[in-house]
Amino acid sequence: MEKKKLSIILFSGDFDRAVAAFTLATGAAAVNWEVNLFFTFWGLDLIKKKPGHAAIGKGVLARFFNFLLGGRKNPPLSRLNFFGAGPRLMTGMMRARNVATLEELVAAARDLKVKFVACEMAMNILGITRSDLMDDVGEVIGVPTFLEYSRDGQVLFI
Amino acid sequence: MITLDITREHCPMTYVKVKLALAKLSEGDRLEVILNRGEPLENVPRSAAEEGHKIVEVLDGVDPCRVLIEKRA
């Protein structure tokens, strides 16, 4: 039987949207779907090698943007961010209710061999290179390759 | 035989834990999964069977339910 396929474009760098994307990715991979996670624009912040605020990138503006973004340790909630306290409060609620946290979902995605791919164009804008991203990122790709990877499957934009 | 209790887990970790537990076993090994009714009971045996594993037994008359899976390559 041919494997069903889910490809998720993670445009957002928000905590809650990332939780949704990784929940769908790990859930689909766990029930034997092939899963591609395509990180672009703000979503790239979730797969940087340096987990916190880091002035990386080529050029002053790129360093400024990358520093302010804050890395995967500091993604904001899309609502009720409470000046950065929101994600910590939400993670506490998730733990209290035995729901997987973002960190646990990312680890599960890694274990389930979800394919992480990064957008070449957005990386270029933010002045970052392959070496700035986590080792889990298999490839840096453009639109034609993403279309090829997602062909005959379902695509979600988050 | 390995026993995995996923009664306190929620989606997607219910399925994730079963999939990862099966991946660690050798062919012919058995995994007993203790799980709740509803989504876990409907989907854990189905996805394991889809992946080619053998569903040896489903005990749904007990609470929590139990599913016995035999790993296939």
Side-chain angles (χ1 to χ4, degrees), chain B:
Chain B
M1 184 174 69
I2 308 279
T3 298
L4 177 68
D5 184 348
I6 56 166
T7 53
R8 285 177 50 79
E9 303 294 339
H10 296 279
C11 178
M13 297 311 279
T14 39
Y15 321 111
V16 170
K17 293 212 166 173
V18 172
K19 171 106 173 168
L20 294 177
L22 280 167
K24 285 182 191 157
L25 299 181
S26 304
E27 187 172 2
D29 289 350
R30 289 184 169 190
L31 176 71
E32 180 191 40
V33 185
I34 302 170
L35 71 181
N36 294 320
R37 262 170 236 295
E39 279 269 319
L41 184 60
E42 282 171 29
N43 288 306
V44 164
R46 187 175 64 192
S47 57
E50 273 179 11
E51 208 180 1
H53 306 302
K54 182 182 174 187
I55 306 303
V56 179
E57 193 173 38
V58 177
L59 290 174
D60 55 5
V62 291
D63 192 21
C65 305
R66 283 161 196 269
V67 173
L68 188 58
I69 306 167
E70 189 172 290
K71 164 115 179 207
R72 294 287 158 88

